Each structure stands twice: as structure tokens, then as C-alpha cells.
């Protein structure tokens, strides 16, 4: 075993556990003391980088929520905040997208990956200082990009508006340093087997640089530019946010339940069929556009074939949970991750359905698409990130979350908010699409029918923002005010959770 880096400390120092206590905790958890020590060393090695990324991500979540709410109000009250150019809809909406997708979701999932990888490969995080420096540069790049967009400087491509020559260098160097630390950790691994979560996370860090290079290549013009834009915009969901989120789902569900994933073979099918079919999906956003028909048709066929990885993953995760749904009562991590996994199934099947020309001609250019993207970006990705943070942070700060009530408020607010958001905009989108297809209906009528849904969107945004404020306040209590913690020992000291299943109830009687 290689000697640990001095700044990481030893497992016994982490959480102020003595060697005897480590042995006692290992015995109570049914672990070999050496295995427990590996986990403690892994957690200690990634602690600073992970907490910094979570804090930055939550900050961007709050900022992005405010921008999103302003943009939403402008859709039904266009005179709202019109005296300043930087607050116009086009700039504020783009700032919202960058803040929540790159600032929040990306930072939170990278933090999760930096914590997961050392545990899964039984090695400490290598070059953690580079990861922290990378996180700082990445955050600066996002901030520069958002300020530039608000100031009116944009590359004019969906999901890629941040100026390539100003924000791009910070994003590339910052992401590269984080990836360097992650790959160095994998190369130093002590486990021979690479768990399925490692496949997805490593894949994400290989795919994203390629996508960014293609999307930001400066010589595209016209139709080429549109094709490259949607190649990036769709695949950054599937090969970046989705890949890291699925890596988290495959870790946290079995981990919380204390049982292995249902099928290794289904994991293989799900991973490689995702790689095969998802990369071709992006052109279905350009149905009816001036692209060769074969490109659009190939994309539609690949979108339909996405049912293979989606169903394989859904069966695998569902069968891992089946019989243990009672555990959702006590575990906030499981609640968020299971609902996020269900949302992955829903949004993927909905995407395959929407890619069909007969459906696309109704839903394209309507609010249906916005609702669909929020099922993926929020109900799936963000819920996975929430669940990961609830699981990881107690293991890094050595105490439990201060308030179960705040967790319940957070969960109920964001679940109710996203449900209202999706229902309101899906309904408005269908009405809008049908009105647009009717030549006898004036265009103004296609706008009027969406107003109830747009008001519902604004109300949902307020509810979601309230949930984010509760979550941010709870996170601040957790990391900044140790005095309010109800427990002084790390979660490893907790007794095994009691599952309220039908069998347990029968035994109790």
C-alpha cells in the first residue's frame, strides 16, 4: 500500500476516531477494518474539493432560480422589467440555463463523482489540489459567461452562448484539471473490478471534451452550425449529465438498501446501448429543418431504439428496489434518487415518443419541449444531485443533517413544484401546438391559450425557489454551524436502519 499524502490525514484522525473505535465501527457494520479504513481515507482525500463544489453549485442554483423566475414572469407579463437591456428575456433565460445546467448540476455531479471514484476504486483522490483549482477556474468561466451573456455578448448557439474566446479557456482548463485528478485516481486504483458507476463517470469525462470541441468549433456556418449545435445540446444531456446521474443511481440505491444491483448483464446492456444510440439523437430537434432527410430519419430511428437502454436500466434499478420501498420513508437519499431514476425512464420514453414526426409536428416550437426538458434536467438530474448531497455531506463533516423537518420541507416543495411545472406547461404546449396547426386560428389565439399554463409555470417556479432556499439554508447549517448538529459521530456510528416492511410489521405482531 502506498503512503498517504500528508495533508490527507489518517483514517483514525478523520472524525476523531481512534484505531480501536475504527475496529468497533467496522465490526458493527460487518466490515473488515482495512475496508473501513480505505473508505475513510478516500472520503478524507476528496473532502475539501467535494464540499467546495457542492457549496458553489448550491449558490448557482439560487442565482439560476431567480433568473428563471424573472424569465417566466416575462412570458405572461412582457412589460415586467423592460427598462434595462440586461434584464430582457433572451439574456435572462440564457443566464438561467447556464447557471442551473453548468453552475449547479455540473458542479454538484462533479462533486459527487470526486467523492464516488476514490471509494469505488479503493484509492485516495490523487492531485486533489488540481481538482480544487479546476473547480475555481470552472466557476470563474461560468461567471464570466453569464456576465457576458447579460451584457449582450453571445455566440448565439443554444447551450453554448458563453463566448468561446472569453469563458471557454477557463471552462476547458478547469474541467481538464478536474478530469486529470479523476483519471489519476483511477490509474492508482487498488480494486481490479470497475463497478458500473465507474463506467458512466469515466465515460462522461471522456465524452464531454469531445462534445465541447465539436460544439464550439469556430468554422461552422449555416446548416452545419445548427447540426453541430444540436449534436452538442442533446448529447451534453445524455453523455454528461445523464451519465454522471446514472453513475450515482447505480451507487446510491444498492448502497442505501444494502443489497447488490439486480443484474450485471442488464448494466452492460444499458451502458453500451446508450453509447450506441444516444449519440445519433440530436437531429430530431431539427425535424422539418433544412437538413438531409436521411439525417433526420436516422435520428428518429435512434431515438426510438433508446427504449433498449432505458428499459434495461429501469428494470435493473426497479428490481433492486422492489420489496424495499418502505426504506423511502427514512432515507432522503433514496427518496430523491428513486424518484430521479423513475423520471429518467419517463423523460427518455417521452423523448422517443416526441421524436416521431407525427407527434413532433404538434409539440415542436411549443411549451411542451420546455416541460420535457425539465423532467430530464430537474426531476431526473437535480433530484439525483439532491440525493447524493444528502448522502455524502454527513460523511464528510462527521455529523447528521440538523433537521429532518427541513429535509421534508425541501422534498415536498421541489416535488410539488416540478409536478405543477410539468403538468402546466405540457398542457399549454399541446393547446399551443394544435392552435398553430389550425390555419383558421389567428396566431394571437395560440398565445392566449397558453396563459394559464404560463401562470402555473411562474407559481411552480416560486415553489421550487422556496425549496432551494430551504435546502441552501440547511446546507449552510450543516457545514458552518456544527453547534446545531444533533449527533457528534459520523454516520458510520448509526445503527442499521429499520425497514418498515410488511414482513417486519407481521413479525412485530
Amino acid at each position: 500500500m502506498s503512503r498517504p499524502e500528508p495533508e490527507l490525514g489518517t483514517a483514525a484522525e478523520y472524525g476523531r476516531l481512534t484505531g480501536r473505535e475504527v475496529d468497533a465501527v467496522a465490526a458493527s457494520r460487518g466490515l473488515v477494518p482495512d475496508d473501513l479504513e480505505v473508505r475513510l481515507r478516500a472520503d478524507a482525500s476528496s473532502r475539501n474539493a467535494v464540499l467546495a463544489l457542492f457549496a458553489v453549485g448550491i449558490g448557482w442554483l439560487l442565482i439560476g432560480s431567480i433568473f428563471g423566475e424573472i424569465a417566466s414572469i416575462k412570458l405572461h407579463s412582457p412589460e415586467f422589467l423592460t427598462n434595462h437591456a440586461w434584464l430582457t428575456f433572451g439574456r435572462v433565460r440564457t443566464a438561467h440555463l447556464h447557471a442551473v445546467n453548468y453552475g449547479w448540476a455540473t458542479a454538484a455531479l462533479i462533486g459527487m463523482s470526486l467523492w464516488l471514484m476514490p471509494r469505488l476504486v479503493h484509492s485516495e483522490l490523487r492531485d486533489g489540489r488540481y481538482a480544487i483549482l479546476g473547480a475555481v477556474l470552472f466557476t470563474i468561466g461560468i461567471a464570466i459567461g453569464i456576465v457576458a451573456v447579460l451584457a449582450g455578448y453571445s455566440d448565439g448557439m443554444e447551450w453554448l452562448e458563453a463566448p468561446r474566446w472569453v469563458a471557454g479557456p477557463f471552462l476547458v482548463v478547469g474541467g481538464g484539471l478536474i478530469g486529470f485528478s479523476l483519471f489519476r485516481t483511477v490509474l492508482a486504483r487498488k480494486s481490479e473490478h470497475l463497478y458500473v458507476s465507474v463506467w458512466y463517470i469515466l465515460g462522461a469525462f471522456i465524452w464531454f471534451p469531445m462534445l465541447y470541441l465539436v460544439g464550439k468549433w469556430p468554422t461552422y456556418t449555416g446548416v452545419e452550425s445548427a447540426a453541430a449545435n444540436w449534436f452538442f445540446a442533446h448529447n451534453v444531456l445524455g453523455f454528461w449529465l445523464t451519465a454522471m446521474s446514472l453513475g450515482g443511481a447505480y451507487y446510491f440505491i444498492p448502497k442505501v438498501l444494502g443489497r447488490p444491483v439486480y443484474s450485471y448483464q442488464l448494466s452492460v446492456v444499458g451502458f453500451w446501448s446508450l453509447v450506441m444510440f444516444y449519440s445519433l439523437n440530436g437531429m430530431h430537434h431539427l425535424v422539418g429543418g433544412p437538413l438531409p432527410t436521411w439525417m433526420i430519419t436516422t435520428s428518429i430511428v435512434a431515438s426510438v431504439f433508446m427504449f433498449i437502454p432505458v428499459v434495461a436500466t429501469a428494470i435493473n434499478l426497479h428490481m433492486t428496489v422492489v420489496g424495499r420501498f418502505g426504506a423511502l420513508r427514512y432515507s432522503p437519499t433514496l427518496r430523491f434518487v428513486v424518484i430521479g431514476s423513475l423520471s429518467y425512464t419517463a423523460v427518455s420514453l417521452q423523448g422517443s415518443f416526441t421524436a416521431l414526426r407525427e407527434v413532433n409536428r404538434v409539440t415542436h416550437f411549443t411549451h411542451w419541449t420546455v416541460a420535457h426538458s425539465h423532467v430530464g434536467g430537474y426531476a431526473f438530474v437535480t433530484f439525483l444531485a439532491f440525493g447524493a448531497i444528502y448522502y455524502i455531506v454527513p460523511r464528510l463533516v462527521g455529523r447528521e443533517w440538523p433537521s429532518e423537518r427541513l429535509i421534508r420541507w425541501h422534498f415536498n416543495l421541489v416535488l410539488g413544484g416540478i409536478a405543477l411545472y410539468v403538468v402546466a406547461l405540457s398542457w399549454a404546449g399541446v393547446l399551443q401546438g394544435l392552435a398553430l396547426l389550425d390555419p383558421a386560428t389567428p396566431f394571437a389565439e395560440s398565445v392566449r391559450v397558453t396563459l394559464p399554463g404560463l401562470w402555473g409555470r411562474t407559481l411552480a417556479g416560486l415553489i421550487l425557489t422556496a425549496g432551494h432556499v430551504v435546502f441552501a439554508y440547511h446546507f449552510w447549517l450543516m457545514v458552518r454551524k456544527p453547534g446545531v448538529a444533533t449527533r457528534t459521530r459520523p454516520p458510520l456510528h448509526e445503527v442499521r436502519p429499520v425497514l418498515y416492511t410488511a414482513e417486519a410489521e407481521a413479525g412485530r405482531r
Side-chain angles (χ1 to χ4, degrees), residues 440-500:
T441 301
F443 178 78
E445 179 64 14
S446 71
V447 177
R448 191 194 63 77
V449 297
T450 65
L451 288 177
L454 296 178
W455 279 100
R457 168 183 171 153
T458 295
L459 176 60
L462 286 173
I463 297 172
L464 290 171
T465 302
H468 301 160
V469 171
V470 170
F471 178 60
Y473 173 66
H474 204 190
F475 180 82
W476 180 79
L477 286 180
M478 185 71 169
V479 299
R480 301 296 296 178
K481 296 186 69 175
V484 302
T486 56
R487 297 172 185 169
T488 57
R489 288 298 188 186
L492 290 171
H493 273 275
E494 295 176 1
V495 297
R496 288 183 180 279
V498 177
L499 302 183
Y500 292 95

Side-chain angles (χ1 to χ4, degrees), residues 13 68 85-86 119 125 134-135 164 170 179 233 302 326 329 341 358 371 394 461 466 469:
E13 291 169 350
W86 68 277
R119 277 197 164 211
L125 181 68
R164 62 169 60 85
F170 289 94
R329 296 180 184 176
S341 300
E358 291 75 12
V469 171

Side-chain angles (χ1 to χ4, degrees), residues 195-258:
Y195 183 61
V196 58
S197 297
V198 179
W199 312 345
Y200 280 104
I201 292 172
L202 283 184
F205 277 84
I206 293 172
W207 295 320
F208 185 75
M210 294 190 289
L211 294 172
Y212 192 79
L213 179 65
V214 172
K216 278 294 193 183
W217 195 257
T219 60
Y220 298 131
T221 58
V223 173
E224 289 178 342
S225 180
N229 188 178
W230 280 108
F231 173 79
F232 172 86
H234 200 80
N235 286 326
V236 78
L237 291 174
F239 289 140
W240 179 240
L241 299 179
T242 294
M244 286 192 289
S245 298
L246 287 179
Y250 269 112
Y251 179 85
F252 291 113
I253 291 177
K255 191 70 176 178
V256 173
L257 294 174

Side-chain angles (χ1 to χ4, degrees), residues 296-481:
I296 304 297
T297 302
T298 301
S299 180
I300 294 173
V301 171
S303 300
V304 172
F305 272 97
M306 273 298 295
F307 80 91
I308 296 175
V310 172
V311 171
T313 303
I315 292 174
N316 214 5
L317 295 178
H318 176 81
M319 293 304 292
T320 304
V321 182
V322 72
R324 294 286 186 89
F325 282 101
L328 272 68
R329 296 180 184 176
Y330 74 81
S331 172
T333 293
L334 204 58
R335 279 202 296 274
F336 278 107
V337 173
V338 167
I339 290 178
S341 300
L342 292 173
S343 298
Y344 168 68
T345 305
V347 72
S348 300
L349 296 179
Q350 185 190 31
S352 299
F353 179 69
T354 305
L356 300 174
R357 285 190 172 89
E358 291 75 12
V359 181
N360 197 276
R361 64 192 294 266
V362 176
T363 61
H364 207 177
F365 302 123
T366 73
H367 295 294
W368 170 280
T369 305
V370 183
H372 170 67
S373 66
H374 278 74
V375 177
Y378 196 95
F380 168 41
V381 173
T382 290
F383 267 53
L384 254 296
F386 285 148
I389 291 175
Y390 275 121
Y391 188 89
I392 294 171
V393 174
R395 285 155 177 80
L396 296 181
V397 301
R399 54 184 175 275
E400 265 298 351
W401 290 91
S403 171
E404 294 180 9
R405 178 177 296 180
L406 288 178
I407 295 176
R408 286 198 299 273
W409 270 103
H410 173 221
F411 177 78
N412 292 332
L413 285 170
V414 297
L415 181 62
I418 192 60
L420 175 60
Y421 192 104
V422 171
V423 171
L425 281 192
S426 298
W427 171 61
V430 172
L431 293 179
Q432 183 183 17
L434 294 175
L436 287 171
L437 287 174
D438 184 358
T441 301
F443 178 78
E445 179 64 14
S446 71
V447 177
R448 191 194 63 77
V449 297
T450 65
L451 288 177
L454 296 178
W455 279 100
R457 168 183 171 153
T458 295
L459 176 60
L462 286 173
I463 297 172
L464 290 171
T465 302
H468 301 160
V469 171
V470 170
F471 178 60
Y473 173 66
H474 204 190
F475 180 82
W476 180 79
L477 286 180
M478 185 71 169
V479 299
R480 301 296 296 178
K481 296 186 69 175

